[in-house]
Amino acid sequence: MGKKRIYLSSPHMSEEGYEKHYIKEAFDTNWIAPLGENVDAFEKELVAKINKEPDEPLYAAALSSGTAAIHLALKAVGVGEGDIVLCQDLTFSATVNPVIYQNATPVFIDSDHATWNMDPALLRKALGKYKDRVKAVMVVHLYGIAADMDPIIKLCQAYNVPLIEDAAESLGTTYKGRHTGTFGQYGIYSFNGNKIITTSGGGILVARDKEKISKARFWATQSRDAARHYEHSELGFNYRMSNVLAGIGRGQLKVLEERIQKKRYIYKYYKRELENLEGLSMMPMPSFQESNCWLSCITLKGKVRPIDIIVALEKENIESRPLWKPMHQQPFFEKYDFIGEGISKILFETGLCLPSDTKMTDEELDKVIAVIKGLF
Ligand SMILES: *Cc1c(COP(=O)(O)O)cnc(C)c1O
């Protein structure tokens, strides 16, 4: 047997067994599928956690993945062939793939140093360049760091373009006191296995527009018209979350606050121990936001390179990985326009995600730190 592996971010079910309770309920009532009480309750309980604006109700549709949620957000906005979607360049491909599903064209916007997310000045430039062809803006809150929303929202309003927030990694992060994912016309979260809470696989779409959320639920269940037989006047998808998985989600929501506290603890631990190493910087923590610290990331500009740390950690059976490779550098996406000066490229070349698993002990954090310090 080798050493126990330390993960980047792995599923962490509640010690109390909340998830099992809700799954058992689904079994006992035979509501395994489709839908059922857990799905409805999960949607309501998630909204109650993130919507702190009592006068502005928020609605949610629980889906099979965060990617499905992005797809339905684009569809709800009406993105189609010939349209341009201005997308954050530094992200996971799941942000952008649905733009292609809708036969639209992505244009990639570089990050700024202060947030690692979409640079508002470059968004302005892109909106000026593509004007009426822009059908949506897609911003991401990478690694749980909030993008600078005020200038981005202002620009979207000025150009009358809907804003979609990919908050897959930032559930629980607030920007000026308000939850990321609740600013745009649409927000999405992911419950994939490595996210801050998980349903094994799953996602959710949120919006203030109640009818659009009803419509998303309709599309997600094969667009069945109200008829005794199977009648379809629109294209449908099989994108709904199952009642069993929604039960896991309900249990996980009960420990979200705890998970966030632990992720923040891990970030502060690394910061305290690593920040003074030559050429090493922690990821930015802009003061206008409070991050969920989903992954603790660093950049390096001295002699030690990210790959040196990845290899050294791997020898100890510890997982780490580079930052996301920018979309404009991906073979599949490189033919699309890129607005920027190469910040995302530099981040990719110099950055690294450290193990940020909420089950990590102080001893395990110390071990990671010792391996890294050993290279300096
Ligand atoms: C995980 C992730 C997604 C996709 O979510 P899935 O639930 O895996 O489909 C989208 N965007 C970002 C930035 C992500 O990290």
Side-chain angles (χ1 to χ4, degrees):
M1 288 294 286
K3 294 170 207 131
K4 183 172 153 244
R5 186 156 173 82
I6 299 175
Y7 291 99
L8 207 59
S9 183
S10 72
H12 187 171
M13 295 296 115
S14 67
E15 277 72 27
E16 296 84 351
Y18 299 129
E19 298 84 357
K20 283 184 193 158
H21 165 78
Y22 292 118
I23 293 176
K24 186 172 182 304
E25 226 167 57
F27 272 70
D28 291 347
T29 56
N30 199 38
W31 281 111
I32 303 301
L35 301 174
E37 196 188 328
N38 281 338
V39 175
D40 298 337
F42 182 49
E43 289 171 347
K44 290 202 178 77
E45 288 160 8
L46 178 112
V47 161
K49 278 242 186 278
I50 60 172
N51 192 36
K52 302 302 175 201
E53 293 74 39
D55 307 335
E56 302 169 60
L58 187 74
Y59 303 94
L63 302 169
S64 53
S65 70
T67 311
I70 294 170
H71 189 185
L72 294 187
L74 291 168
K75 205 171 146 58
V77 163
V79 168
E81 193 154 4
D83 294 332
I84 281 176
V85 178
L86 301 178
C87 286
Q88 184 161 321
D89 180 55
L90 186 68
T91 188
F92 181 40
S93 65
T95 309
V96 190
N97 284 331
V99 175
I100 311 296
Y101 304 164
Q102 286 301 103
N103 297 310
T105 305
V107 167
F108 300 117
I109 314 288
D110 205 352
S111 292
D112 64 25
H113 271 302
T115 66
W116 287 11
N117 290 308
M118 186 180 280
D119 182 335
L122 295 173
L123 174 62
R124 178 193 297 279
K125 195 171 159 189
L127 284 163
K129 180 170 175 182
Y130 288 104
K131 299 191 176 78
D132 291 348
R133 283 190 66 199
V134 180
K135 202 64 184 257
V137 169
M138 181 108 62
V139 69
V140 187
H141 305 289
L142 223 53
Y143 304 118
I145 311 165
D148 192 2
M149 295 307 286
D150 281 346
I152 292 171
I153 291 166
K154 239 193 196 151
L155 282 165
C156 289
Q157 283 168 349
Y159 282 84
N160 201 18
V161 177
L163 176 63
I164 302 170
E165 284 178 87
D166 179 346
E169 302 177 1
S170 72
L171 179 60
T173 296
T174 55
Y175 173 84
K176 300 185 179 174
R178 198 169 163 142
H179 277 262
T180 53
T182 67
F183 290 87
Q185 273 71 15
Y186 297 93
I188 77 96
Y189 304 95
S190 165
F191 309 109
N192 188 16
N194 65 3
K195 297 306 193 307
I196 191 154
I197 60 170
T198 183
T199 58
S200 79
I204 205 161
L205 174 68
V206 299
R208 308 251 172 225
D209 186 333
K210 190 177 184 179
E211 266 156 45
K212 287 288 172 122
I213 290 296
S214 303
K215 194 80 203 213
R217 293 189 189 120
F218 168 78
W219 289 326
T221 45
Q222 309 286 20
S223 298
R224 279 183 66 186
D225 294 341
R228 203 178 284 280
H229 60 278
Y230 283 81
E231 179 84 5
H232 304 279
S233 43
E234 284 189 65
L235 178 65
F237 301 85
N238 184 2
Y239 273 173
R240 205 67 160 114
M241 181 181 279
S242 92
N243 199 46
V244 175
L245 300 193
I248 303 179
R250 290 182 76 187
Q252 286 270 280
L253 270 184
K254 288 190 188 293
V255 293
L256 174 62
E257 206 44 53
E258 251 175 79
R259 298 290 175 269
I260 294 170
Q261 292 311 326
K262 182 63 189 271
K263 294 275 193 188
R264 288 178 180 158
Y265 174 86
I266 292 170
Y267 177 83
K268 286 193 195 119
Y269 206 105
Y270 282 134
K271 184 175 162 73
R272 189 180 65 229
E273 295 295 324
L274 298 177
E275 205 171 37
N276 296 324
L277 294 174
E278 178 79 33
L280 188 151
S281 309
M282 296 298 292
M283 68 186 186
M285 278 294 147
S287 57
F288 51 60
Q289 55 102 56
E290 267 199 280
S291 176
N292 71 357
C293 296
W294 173 56
L295 293 185
S296 288
C297 306
I298 57 172
T299 54
L300 298 157
K301 55 172 194 233
K303 270 205 303 272
V304 179
R305 300 161 306 159
I307 188 68
D308 303 324
I309 294 183
I310 292 173
V311 169
L313 288 174
E314 197 55 51
K315 274 198 194 118
E316 301 296 322
N317 203 17
I318 300 169
E319 186 184 17
S320 64
R321 71 173 178 211
L323 300 190
W324 298 120
K325 183 174 177 183
M327 290 302 115
H328 82 278
Q329 292 185 277
Q330 298 288 354
F332 185 74
F333 292 113
E334 65 190 6
K335 61 177 175 283
Y336 300 107
D337 195 10
F338 167 63
I339 312 277
E341 273 115 49
I343 302 229
S344 58
K345 182 169 180 279
I346 294 169
L347 286 170
F348 171 60
E349 285 163 1
T350 61
L352 178 67
C353 309
L354 298 177
S356 311
D357 197 276
T358 48
K359 293 190 291 313
M360 280 174 88
T361 60
D362 284 2
E363 291 68 33
E364 288 173 325
L365 283 164
D366 290 338
K367 193 169 150 191
V368 175
I369 288 158
V371 171
I372 294 171
K373 282 185 174 168
L375 293 166
F376 281 81

